[in-house]
Amino acid sequence: MRPIAHTPPAGGTVQPSQKQAATLGMTAAAVLLAGSVLLSRMLGFVREAVLAYRVGVGPEADAYAAAFQIPDLLNYLLAGGALSIAFVPLYTRARARDGEDAAARLLATVLGTLGVVAVLATVVLWAFAGPLTAFAFPRFDPERHALTVRLTRIVLPAQIFFVVGGIVRAALMAHGRFGAQAAAPLVYNAMIIAGGLFLAPVLGVEGFAWGALAGAVLGPFAWAVWDARGRVRLGVRVAPGDRTFLGYLLVAAPLMLGVTLLTVDEWYDRIFGGLLETGTIAQLRYGRQLMLVPVAVVGQAIATAALPTLARLWEEGRHAELGETVLGTLRAGVTLAVLCGAAMLALAEPAVTVVYVRGAFTPADAGPVAGVLALFCLAVPGWVTQQIAVRPFYARGDTWRPMLLGTGVALAAIPLYLALGPRFGAAGLAAAGALAISANALLTLLLARRLHGAPALGPLASTVARVMVAAVPAALLARIVRFEMGGLTGALLDGAVGGLVFASVAALGILLLGDDATKRAVRGRSLP
């Protein structure tokens, strides 16, 4: 994908063709990333199905899920999961104001310095994996603790390649190239599947861990470096006191030090789930993986594609257009999120059966996981809204205020998890997460409105209300459709017919009550 130049003409007047080019570029990137995420999630279904077949719901599954707690924390502290958020606006500004040489120097400094930090932190955490695991999961028995430590030490080095590769991919996206970002999750999931198929019969659950390590090397890192050849000037410069690196840290610090429910909800499920009966962590993991399909396909793809465009609009002083773009992006994203979340809630039982029930994962395990999934789906609109709503802050270089808000909500939500988890088990933890993330999204929108004067909340609320009126009856009717045949065939039939019922009723509701943009989309007409 070739980068598109967006320089306003003299006097600051933006030609319609420029606005259309920006919209088309963002749309093309969003479609590419959405396609990648969809394929990745399909591979994720295969990955989870293989894991369920080999491991099921039990102590090994708990240990495998828990093994990612320390690596995920390292990734978070290095802003590895949000490198594009921290890096793209800075890199874009350096290219626009100081030229390609300054941008290349910034890239080399962040790449080299953060890479060294990642290596050193990995070594320390590898050495202390035992006591850290005991602290995070105090109720694990000795056998489950030992397995978790062993798996943790296998997957820990993957974070080095996630972090370094993430920096390179962020630079590529700033140049308008999204291919490496799209390929990274595909290769990563494919290698975990390969580990489960070819190594797990010999190594057990360790096979999945070795697959994750290989996937991190080949997908997030190697593909990005290969794509950067001749396009992005790569270099390595270790200079922790450099002003460019300190500028990066200033933007990235909230992402490193703060916490939001987009990340810690999964940590809470592992930590508080580890205090409950065996299998709780695994149930939450299996349900979450299905819920994250619409979240990633809609929210992650749209938000990732939007950030470079929003950063460019802010840098060029096109603030009114920035507000309009944010509102349009939110309306489209929330509409899709409500529809996808409602559909998955309605089809939770057949979805769990089709994806998971085989081998060590029995039909008796499906009911609790389906219940968890249904509760998770209530949070899909909140997840998608939050991912999109924070991007205008990041485009302005403001990472502090949304992260302070998110940290406050995440800490305030702990009593909710502590209250609902022991009383309702895995379902209680899922409900706590749904309530907390929905509150976080609403508060982020209110903060953006107060600070930026945008987005306009009236039109957004109207869109949400209209699509809810269409989605709720569709979900209720689709949930009723059951043929009680049992087994995979019955689940496939329930899913197919229920999905058709949902789509038909939801489409009719939107045509009758939806806003103009959604009506045009349902009719298959292009958006303005």
Side-chain angles (χ1 to χ4, degrees), residues 391-471:
R391 261 49 184 192
F393 288 91
Y394 300 152
R396 291 170 167 86
D398 181 3
T399 51
W400 283 97
R401 283 181 283 197
M403 293 303 290
L404 288 173
L405 174 63
T407 299
V409 174
L411 295 176
I414 291 177
L416 191 61
Y417 287 84
L418 289 173
L420 296 182
R423 186 172 181 180
F424 301 105
L429 294 176
L435 291 171
I437 191 64
S438 300
N440 199 163
L442 177 59
L443 291 172
T444 301
L445 287 174
L446 293 174
L447 180 64
R449 178 64 179 173
R450 179 177 179 181
L451 295 177
H452 308 150
L457 298 183
L460 180 59
S462 174
T463 295
V464 172
R466 289 169 181 269
V467 73
M468 286 287 290
V469 170

Side-chain angles (χ1 to χ4, degrees), residues 51-78:
L51 181 66
Y53 177 78
R54 298 288 191 199
V55 181
V57 177
E60 282 194 340
D62 281 353
Y64 179 71
F68 287 87
Q69 183 69 18
I70 295 173
D72 285 355
L73 178 60
L74 173 60
N75 187 280
Y76 187 82
L77 291 175
L78 295 176

Side-chain angles (χ1 to χ4, degrees), residues 1 26-40 173 178-183 185 296-297 300-306:
M1 183 181 299
M26 188 174 74
T27 301
V31 169
L32 173 65
L33 293 174
S36 162
V37 171
L38 181 59
L39 289 174
S40 175
M173 286 190 289
F178 293 83
Q181 184 74 8
V297 171
Q300 180 182 326
I302 292 176
T304 302

Side-chain angles (χ1 to χ4, degrees), residues 490-510:
L492 288 170
L493 182 61
D494 289 345
V497 176
L500 181 61
V501 169
F502 179 88
S504 301
V505 176
L508 178 61
I510 288 173

Side-chain angles (χ1 to χ4, degrees), residues 128-449:
F128 289 94
L132 289 172
T133 299
F135 176 78
F137 305 100
R139 295 194 181 179
F140 275 17
D141 56 69
E143 191 172 311
R144 195 163 32 152
H145 171 268
L147 179 58
T148 302
V149 172
R150 190 159 65 249
L151 297 176
T152 297
R153 285 175 168 161
I154 294 173
V155 298
L156 251 177
Q159 304 313 310
I160 299 171
F161 300 97
F162 279 125
V163 169
V164 175
I167 299 167
V168 179
R169 297 198 310 277
L172 285 167
M173 286 190 289
H175 283 265
R177 297 191 61 84
F178 293 83
Q181 184 74 8
L186 300 179
V187 177
Y188 179 67
N189 278 323
M191 293 306 298
I192 296 177
I193 293 169
L197 290 175
F198 301 112
L199 298 180
V202 179
L203 302 176
V205 73
E206 283 190 27
F208 292 93
W210 286 112
L213 177 58
V217 175
L218 297 176
F221 173 71
W223 193 298
V225 172
W226 178 266
D227 191 38
R229 295 173 308 116
R231 300 181 180 96
V232 176
R233 290 167 53 186
L234 296 181
V236 176
R237 180 172 178 264
V238 181
D242 187 272
R243 291 181 61 185
T244 58
F245 183 70
L246 294 177
Y248 166 80
L249 286 182
L250 183 64
V251 177
L255 307 179
M256 299 175 178
L257 303 176
V259 293
T260 70
L261 284 160
L262 293 179
T263 299
V264 301
D265 179 48
E266 186 173 8
W267 297 0
Y268 287 171
D269 284 349
R270 293 172 186 161
I271 294 169
F272 298 129
L275 302 176
L276 305 178
E277 63 182 19
T278 299
T280 299
I281 297 176
Q283 290 174 7
L284 291 164
R285 172 189 166 83
Y286 288 128
R288 179 183 297 277
Q289 294 305 312
L290 287 173
M291 178 273 293
L292 286 177
V293 175
V295 169
V297 171
V298 178
Q300 180 182 326
I302 292 176
T304 302
L307 181 58
T309 298
L310 299 180
R312 187 164 49 244
L313 292 174
W314 175 254
E315 184 63 28
E316 294 172 359
R318 296 152 63 180
H319 300 165
E321 187 179 343
L322 173 61
E324 294 173 3
T325 303
V326 171
L327 177 60
T329 304
L330 276 169
R331 295 178 78 174
V334 173
T335 295
L336 291 172
V338 170
L339 292 173
C340 291
M344 183 159 284
L345 186 153
L347 304 175
E349 293 178 7
V352 169
T353 300
V354 169
V355 175
Y356 295 132
V357 175
R358 57 185 55 83
F361 193 109
T362 67
D365 297 323
V369 174
V372 165
L373 172 59
L375 290 167
F376 273 142
C377 287
L378 297 175
V380 169
W383 276 76
V384 171
T385 299
Q386 179 67 17
Q387 288 184 314
I388 297 173
V390 295
R391 261 49 184 192
F393 288 91
Y394 300 152
R396 291 170 167 86
D398 181 3
T399 51
W400 283 97
R401 283 181 283 197
M403 293 303 290
L404 288 173
L405 174 63
T407 299
V409 174
L411 295 176
I414 291 177
L416 191 61
Y417 287 84
L418 289 173
L420 296 182
R423 186 172 181 180
F424 301 105
L429 294 176
L435 291 171
I437 191 64
S438 300
N440 199 163
L442 177 59
L443 291 172
T444 301
L445 287 174
L446 293 174
L447 180 64
R449 178 64 179 173

